[in-house]
Amino acid sequence: MAATTATSMVSGNRVVTVLKDLASRPSGAIGLTLVIFHVALALVSPYIVPFDYKLQNSSLMLTGPDAVHWLGADHLGRDVFSRTLMGGREALLVTGVATPLAVIWGGFIGILFGLVGGRLDEVLMRVVDAFLSLPWILKMLVLIVTFGTGVEVLIPTLAFFYGIPVIRIARAATHDVIARDFVWAAKARGHSRISIIWRELLPNVLDTLMVEGAMRWSWMLLAFSSLSFLGFGVSPPTPDWGLMISDARGFMSFAPWGVIGPVIALSSLIIGINLTADALAKALGIDRAQKAPM
Amino acid sequence: MLMMLIRRIMLGIVTVSLVSLIIFAGVEILPGDACTQYLGEYQADDELLAQCRKDLDLNRPALERFQEWAGGAVTGDLGTAVDGKTKISTIVGDRLKNSLLLAFCAMIVGVPLALLLGVITGLWRDRKPDLIASTLAIFAMTIPEFVSATLLILIFSIWLGWLPGIVLTSASAPASEFFPEILLPVIVLSLVMCAHIMRMVRSSVIEVMESDYVQMATLKGVPYWRMVFSHALPNALLPAINVVALTIAWLLGGVVVIEVVFNYPGLGRLMIDSISDRDLPVVQSIALIVASIYVCVNLAADLLTMLANPKLRTIYTRK
Amino acid sequence: MTTPSFIDVRNLSIGYTSRAGETVKVLRDVSLTINRGESVGLVGESGSGKSTLALAALGYFKRGLRVLDGQIHFDGIDMLDLGRDDIQKIRGGRLALIPQNSGQSLTPTLRIGQQVAEALRLHSELEADEFDHRVVELLTQVRLPDPAALISRYPHELSGGQQQRVAIAMALAGQPDALLLDEPTTGLDVTTQAHILELLRDLASDRNMAMLYVSHDLGAIARVCDRVVVMYAGEIVLQGSARQVLKSPRHPYAHGLLASIPRLSQQSLPVALDGRPPMPGEMINGCAFADRCGIADSTCTASPPPLVPIDTGEHVRCFHPGKISQLPRASKTAARKKPSASGKPDAALVMDDLSITYAKPDFLASLLTSRKDPPATVEGINITIVKGETLGLVGESGSGKSTILKSIAGLISPKTGSIALEGQSPLTAKVEDRPAVNLRQIQLIFQNPDDSLNPRHTVAQILAQPLRLYFRLSGDDLRQRSIELLEKVRLGSHYLERLPSQLSGGEKQRIAVARAFAAEPEIVLCDEVTSALDVSVQAAVLNLLNELKTQQQTTYIFVSHDLAVVKAISDRIAVLYQGRLCEIGPVDAVYKPPFHPYTDVLLGAVLEPDPEKAPKLSADDVVELSPPAQGCPFQRRCPKKIGTICETDTPPAQQMGGGHVINCHIPADDL
Ligand SMILES: Nc1ncnc2c1ncn2[C@@H]1O[C@H](COP(=O)(O)OP(=O)(O)OP(=O)(O)O)[C@@H](O)[C@H]1O
Ligand code: SF4
Ligand code: SF4
Ligand SMILES: [Mg+2]
């Protein structure tokens, strides 16, 4: 394999190679397609939906799918298809901003303390442990209940709590890298700490963080929609899959179309992200199970 | 060995103390206190507020209250709810029992199944059983619990009418009365945890099956299944201990959504209800209990790993 | 078809399907026979397919590999046509493997006794209650100390040499008729290696076994094999008697391989074999060796040479075996130029009473137990290094060689003592506190280039680091200088854009050397810089280092466990045991009697690629984990120990003249 990859890697930079590798794997291709589809949909859905998402029509209440209302109408007589198309916007916005934030702050702290080590690091790890030992939903709900459910609360809250496990990952990855000789070599040459972090450490930790970020994104989406489902997320009438499923559940026995649209939409997005993350890990060569000779 | 034990237990205690500090400080830092939160729109009424603060003893310095609260928690006294009367330990007691019941059932179903599937998919890597199980696992892991719960209710309870879709038993009922209502929640929970554990076991089995010692066992003439059972699995399953522990901790503290969907009277729903009611003392207590369980389970897993892994064991027993 | 030999591999081709869907051949049309009682050595560079061939003899193929063509027979049994159960009866029984890395080949969760007993259960008639007894017998037979206690140990509690012996015991449990050995001594200390080889020799002759001994180490092969097979790029290129092949190799590759081995008997640098073997799957039109061959001509690139018998009895895959004599021979290389010993030598670096310890005070442990600090890892090192000289630092693994280098580089703080550059005040312990000049003056090259080059940096970025840091170069100057450096290590400018993963081991190490020399250092610390490389590549790196030294008057501290390598490149040698100095002096003095008892042991164990030279084994190969608290560091293994004085008193430094010092209680005249 060395011969073929060697030549292919000389031309073109790493991002392109990784993307190509990603797209050449079935899971990566499917995952990437799903993710891109959802992001594109979130961007254009307000302009293409057939009906106004908040338009209530009492004559349509809980009617089944037909040629006009493809997925029928909900308990308030709103078009489920339109609402489904738009139901991921809020989730993608919040998690799309919060995920990078979480990875950046968690990664930063993790790398820093992994590098500094010693007592300070021990103390930090205990604090991280303490935070991790609390159920996520409790931590979030307390903040949300106090400060409200707006985007401006959800983003920092999610970013904060989802950054904490990243600290651990980044720290472990840092420990792996700083034990290697090229870091010793840089130290012996006398490079500054910043330069060592920036040049030696980051490029090697980044792969791990990227895969971690992709995984966190899907978990954050799960959390976000769970919050909506529990009634602590997006406030009505904004369409949101979690909320829609929660609303439609009560009528499930005679109007199951209310849940099916959002269920498929939400699941396909999360599965898409997961498949992409899996394929990314393999493309970057950091998947343990994948370490075969070829 | 003894020293390691002491060290680990001490670390556990430190973590739990930190948790209690974080919980307490968290509540203190949030705007308002338990009473303003509880009374909500009525808080304009100074008298009510004062009465409530007096009931809850909120006028004393925070440090003093923390000492008392933490001290009480150590002896099992969690104080009273925000109404100033109900003992928290009675409210929490039943819920904890129910949560334990749910977790226990899910574990009995999920863990063995996960280990079995993990081993099978690992051994038959990239072949049919693996492809099928791994694909299903991705679905089980990624589809939100409320979605799978909703779908299962739709299918088994509404369309087929085989299982009750919702729990109606009261919180204080004995465990036996939760059957068969508990079955659907158990199925959903086991699905999710099974997927997680299975994926981890699979990659661990694959790694071990490619190790030099497994190759050596084969080349030494050890028959395949004997090699799997005596050389590969003891090594491949070691890391599973920690993953199982994490899952158990999650089962005991984080299954709010499932409890809400199925109306199951466990800790998770109590947590949501208390948060909605702004009953901060109860929230604090639940947080502390769940965190302690998390720490204990992980501690147990670490000790078990240490016992099961000769490398770790011998470091501390031989010199 | 004739009746097959005992082990008979015929026209075997093995390959895999690449991700691009092509079939890539790893072994090409290989035939090999071994008779009962015969021992055959299989040599070749890393990746030449040696292990693949050895495993194939067992009917085993690594995941992804498959047989494309050919047959494999063992004692008349077709190994490719056996069912899973039948083949498992042969493996580990009549045909046993001793793996390369026993540390990783023993199951970590099973006790030694269980693993050996398992082989007995599978391949012997013994009853279960006889196992224990037989296991102890086997462990005794492989000369393991205290076998009865060993059976309840786990693999990780044993040293590398002991693990290797357990693997041998396990193989012997099945009463094998044939042994396959895949680099059984690679990675072990010289003394351990020599002991294990003696054991194998004895076993082979006692039991009249057939042996296939895979190794890249011709010294080991010379010791145990009657016949040698040389592989190159998945093909056999030469086979013949050990004597013929090792004394007068009739294939240019084998010739180059032998010439690239440094020898104790030789004062010169070995001859490098430049270039690298083709990758599996690469298109080869003529002879696979053509682009590295000194006598290649147009016939060689036109068609592949066949493997044919020649008059002296060997089989050779070469069109011109008669022209071998035109190739440079080891002895013809120019001896190294040394700095003149005349005049007053300037000190480049002074280590004054250096002691280093890794032990960290453990708060909890110190509270609960009353254990004393263990003895320091390195202690009492007083060495002055002269400008322009190369000081060789030798010793077995764990002797503290790398620790000393790291301490000089400022990566580990010494416990006591100091390190000073030429006539200056002592260097600060920590690298962070050192002035930039001092940092530039000392450069470090590591053992494993895979680990010392950042996998995410291109060669240009790697070289830019010191150039930017020390000389603030940028833009065209930077590029110009980088290209100069590449030329210095004999690589072209097109390497600038490559990543380390796109370089061969030797090329990587050259980049590491170029990076060190980018700083225009005065002192270069070389930490086992050739031990991760194939011998042919090792010779090239040694030559390069020597060349740079003559150009730039650099001072080297050259650490290695290989006495022949150290001898080839050093002016002065320091022998370390357990972090303490045993002997120091000019090369000629150290490698000639009188010897320090430890030096004597080390030299005795060196294996030369010469079937007539036998090693001399005088001390046991016990592994010591920590140095003794007092007395002589070598007291526990010394074959010449003279009494309790060795355990209580630090041996005196005896001046032997010419700067040669031996630390031993035995009077100089009796050494
Ligand atoms: N499972 C595998 N799949 C594909 N290629 C493989 C596999 N195992 C080995 N190879 C390739 O086959 C070639 C020969 O490998 P082999 O391990 O037999 O070499 P070797 O001579 O024993 O090397 P070393 O001295 O490093 O042990 C190498 O190029 C290697 O990359
Ligand atoms: S055939 Fe030609 S190129 Fe090949 S080894 Fe012989 S002389 Fe060299
Ligand atoms: S001092 Fe004693 S133990 Fe040490 S090398 Fe000399 S004789 Fe041997
Ligand atoms: Mg090999």
Side-chain angles (χ1 to χ4, degrees), chain A residues 96-133:
Chain A
V97 177
T99 306
L101 285 181
V103 173
I104 290 170
W105 94 262
F108 179 77
I109 299 284
I111 291 176
L112 198 68
F113 281 77
L115 212 59
V116 173
R119 286 278 144 81
L120 202 60
D121 180 47
E122 293 254 315
V123 172
L124 178 83
M125 283 330 281
R126 292 283 80 71
V127 176
V128 167
D129 264 356
F131 265 105
L132 288 179
S133 70

Side-chain angles (χ1 to χ4, degrees), chain C residues 50-52 100 182-183 214:
Chain C
K50 309 179 297 275
S51 304
T52 308
Q100 169 154 16
D182 190 1
E183 310 250 12
V214 176

